[in-house]
């Protein structure tokens, strides 16, 4: 028994917990979390997009998160109920939601032939995040998809569904053993399931810099393989003169303490990693005509917002990294209207009524522990 446990721990420690280092044609493990039936359509759309290439297999799991009832409404046993009465626990343990989720998932599997393994977690919302994180580790998935705590109403406004979802999302972001994506579903005006669709879905990857943006770009490697997806990478670069070299940064900081010099050195290293990653992506996918690529030069957060307004109605899905980029001139002053820090500055702006976009949003956070091991910057 000890040997089995040791072998299990060793094998679990070796599987990739981030998409950036995963071969695009290796099997991708996904854990999608839903609370109510309306969460299913958005998550199966992501699964459909990621499973569009036969040579790049995926292994998706969907877990229905149900709050553990505090106490039973009726003390009667099932056989003691009168004819026509419903056993109270059936409602409290998922009720009709279970049937609707099962039906929606069965229809998706039948249409796409993508097998989705389904399960249910019944726990207190105060600790259910632990079950999600433990489940992701046991299933050896690379990314967890979580629903946003707001949903789009018929009139187009975003309404708070369950405040508990937001707290759970924040806990999973802090403690997950893999990367995490929060999906803001815009319903019929947002991202739709590409499998079986007659029209092509336009998707934009917003790349600023940092490990989270690289993880978002790595996620797009799987999505662009789908025949019904048209993907464009939009890279935001600072509008500065090329004459200012990295040496001038170091000279300016030489009068300050050692920590500032180390911070500048880390930023330079991070930029090199970003540039190398984007260049590799460009050569492999953009140069081959499999994805589009646009560079936007901005000098402030206001100019970044202006660009986002221009492209707001051009895409059904926006994918962006949560952050991890520290102080960035490209997103300066954008925190003035920040409402949901768990989405990062750019993701929060896209999800807010400030831009009023109709497309869905996927905010990706790279596994934080892997950054520490790699020497990358954190939030």
């Amino acid at each position: 028994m000890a040997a089995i446990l040791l072998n299990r721990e060793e094998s679990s420690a070796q599987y990739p917990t981030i998409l950036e280092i995963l071969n695009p044609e290796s099997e991708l493990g996904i854990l999608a979390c839903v609370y109510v039936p309306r969460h299913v359509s958005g998550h199966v759309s992501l699964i459909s997009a990621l499973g569009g290439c036969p040579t790049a297999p995926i292994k998706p799991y969907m877990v229905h998160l149900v709050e553990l009832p505090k106490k039973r409404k009726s003390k009667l046993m099932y056989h003691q109920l009168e004819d026509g009465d419903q056993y109270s626990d059936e409602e409290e343990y998922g009720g009709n939601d279970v049937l609707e989720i099962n039906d929606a998932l069965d229809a998706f599997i039948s249409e796409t032939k993508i097998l989705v393994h389904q399960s249910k977690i019944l726990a207190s919302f105060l600790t259910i995040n632990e079950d999600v994180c433990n489940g992701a580790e046991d299933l050896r998935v690379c990314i967890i998809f979580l629903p946003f705590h707001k949903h789009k109403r018929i009139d187009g406004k975003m309404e708070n569904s369950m405040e508990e979802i937001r707290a759970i999302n924040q806990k999973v972001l802090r403690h997950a053993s893999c990367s995490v994506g929060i999906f803001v579903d815009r319903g019929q005006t947002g991202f739709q399931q590409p499998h079986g669709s007659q029209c092509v879905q336009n998707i934009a990857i917003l790349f600023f810099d940092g490990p989270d943006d690289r993880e978002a770009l790595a996620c797009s490697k799987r999505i662009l393989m789908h025949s019904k997806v048209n993907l464009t990478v939009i890279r935001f670069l600072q509008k500065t003169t090329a004459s200012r070299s990295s040496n001038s940064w170091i000279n300016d900081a030489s009068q300050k303490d050692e920590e500032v010099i180390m911070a500048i050195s880390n930023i330079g290293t991070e930029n090199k990693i970003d540039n190398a990653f984007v260049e590799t992506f460009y050569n492999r996918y953009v140069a081959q005509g499999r994805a589009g690529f646009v560079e936007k030069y901005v000098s402030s957060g206001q100019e970044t917002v202006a660009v986002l307004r221009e492209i707001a109605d051009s895409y059904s899905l926006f994918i962006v990294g949560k952050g991890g980029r520290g102080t960035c001139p490209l997103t300066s002053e954008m925190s003035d209207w920040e409402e949901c820090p768990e989405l990062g500055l750019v993701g929060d702006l896209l999800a807010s009524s400030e831009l009023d976009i109709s497309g869905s949003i996927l905010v990706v956070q790279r596994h934080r522990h892997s950054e520490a091991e790699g020497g990358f910057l954190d939030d």
Side-chain angles (χ1 to χ4, degrees):
M1 293 225 17
I4 293 174
L5 292 174
L6 288 173
N7 289 334
R8 180 178 179 274
E9 290 180 1
E10 184 178 355
S11 62
S12 297
Q14 292 176 352
Y15 81 93
T17 57
I18 56 175
L19 294 168
E20 183 178 339
I21 65 173
L22 183 69
N23 188 320
E25 296 186 354
S26 299
E27 185 178 68
L28 171 63
I30 304 167
L31 179 62
C33 301
V34 300
Y35 295 86
V36 291
R38 68 168 169 267
H39 292 156
V40 177
S41 61
H43 284 309
V44 297
S45 296
L46 291 176
I47 293 172
S48 172
L50 290 165
C53 181
T55 60
I58 64 171
K59 193 170 186 179
Y61 301 87
M62 181 169 290
V63 58
H64 181 196
L65 306 181
V66 181
E67 183 178 17
L68 181 68
K70 296 179 177 61
K71 61 180 181 180
R72 186 177 291 178
K73 292 180 181 179
S74 173
K75 295 183 179 180
L76 295 176
M77 301 299 290
Y78 188 88
H79 67 277
Q80 295 175 316
L81 296 176
E82 298 181 2
D83 292 341
D85 288 344
Q86 185 178 17
Y87 192 46
S88 61
D89 283 359
E90 292 179 1
E91 287 186 11
E92 295 174 342
Y93 294 127
N96 292 330
D97 284 355
V98 174
L99 300 178
E100 292 186 40
I101 292 173
N102 288 345
D103 291 342
L105 200 55
D106 288 344
F108 170 77
I109 295 172
S110 175
E111 181 180 355
T112 64
K113 311 305 179 186
I114 299 176
L115 178 61
V116 182
H117 305 269
Q118 186 180 3
S119 61
K120 181 168 66 174
I121 292 179
L122 181 66
S124 168
F125 275 177
L126 294 176
T127 60
I128 202 167
N129 61 287
E130 299 176 6
D131 295 298
V132 172
C133 293
N134 291 336
E137 189 172 359
D138 291 340
L139 296 173
R140 305 176 66 181
V141 301
C142 280
I143 190 166
I144 302 172
F145 287 138
L146 302 171
F148 191 47
H149 68 280
K150 295 182 180 181
H151 71 277
K152 189 174 183 179
R153 302 186 312 198
I154 298 178
D155 60 3
K157 302 296 182 181
M158 295 296 287
E159 179 180 351
N160 195 339
S161 305
M162 298 168 58
E163 191 63 31
E164 295 88 348
I165 293 180
R166 184 182 185 186
I168 294 169
N169 288 351
Q170 292 170 343
K171 292 177 182 177
V172 174
L173 285 169
R174 287 196 298 268
H175 303 295
S177 60
C178 61
S179 296
V180 180
I182 296 182
F183 184 65
V184 183
D185 191 4
R186 297 293 195 184
Q188 294 300 317
T189 64
F191 187 61
Q192 304 297 316
Q193 175 186 320
H195 268 90
S197 176
Q198 298 300 319
C199 58
V200 176
Q201 298 277 321
N202 293 318
I203 300 177
I205 310 295
L206 307 180
F207 190 95
F208 292 85
D209 54 36
D212 289 348
D213 284 16
R214 292 199 303 273
E215 190 72 353
L217 188 58
C219 183
S220 72
K221 294 178 182 179
R222 297 277 183 154
I223 295 176
L224 62 81
M225 297 179 185
H226 203 291
S227 60
K228 293 298 183 179
V229 164
N230 183 17
L231 187 138
T232 302
V233 179
I234 303 176
R235 188 178 189 187
F236 289 79
L237 297 168
Q238 188 166 6
K239 191 191 302 180
T240 56
T241 57
S243 59
R244 180 162 187 170
S245 64
S246 58
N247 291 333
S248 64
W249 285 91
I250 298 176
N251 292 334
D252 292 343
S254 61
Q255 299 176 355
K256 300 180 181 180
D257 57 28
E258 224 173 276
E259 293 182 1
V260 176
I261 298 177
M262 289 299 297
I264 293 173
S265 177
N266 288 337
I267 292 173
T269 302
E270 192 73 24
N271 288 339
K272 289 180 180 178
I273 297 174
D274 290 335
N275 292 334
F277 192 75
V278 172
E279 183 180 358
T280 301
F281 181 91
Y282 186 95
N283 293 333
R284 182 166 184 177
Y285 300 104
V286 180
Q288 303 299 323
R290 303 172 69 179
F293 188 87
V294 178
E295 289 183 342
K296 296 289 186 179
Y297 289 89
V298 296
S299 58
S300 65
Q302 292 182 348
E303 293 187 11
T304 299
V305 174
V307 172
L308 295 178
R309 290 187 192 279
E310 291 176 4
I311 64 175
D313 298 326
S314 303
Y315 302 93
S316 63
L317 176 64
F318 294 88
I319 304 178
V320 64
K322 174 178 176 287
R325 58 182 70 95
T327 303
C328 177
L330 308 184
T331 57
S332 61
E333 302 175 1
M334 290 175 60
S335 60
D336 294 345
W337 52 72
E338 187 177 39
E339 181 183 359
C340 302
E342 65 270 22
L343 297 180
L345 290 177
V346 180
D348 187 30
L349 178 64
L350 291 171
S352 70
S353 57
E354 181 72 21
L355 288 184
D356 193 27
I357 69 171
S358 58
S360 301
I361 304 135
L362 176 63
V363 179
V364 179
Q365 175 185 278
R366 173 175 157 151
H367 181 209
R368 288 307 191 217
H369 296 291
S370 63
E371 292 174 21
E373 293 168 2
F376 298 129
L377 296 175
D378 202 341
D379 285 337

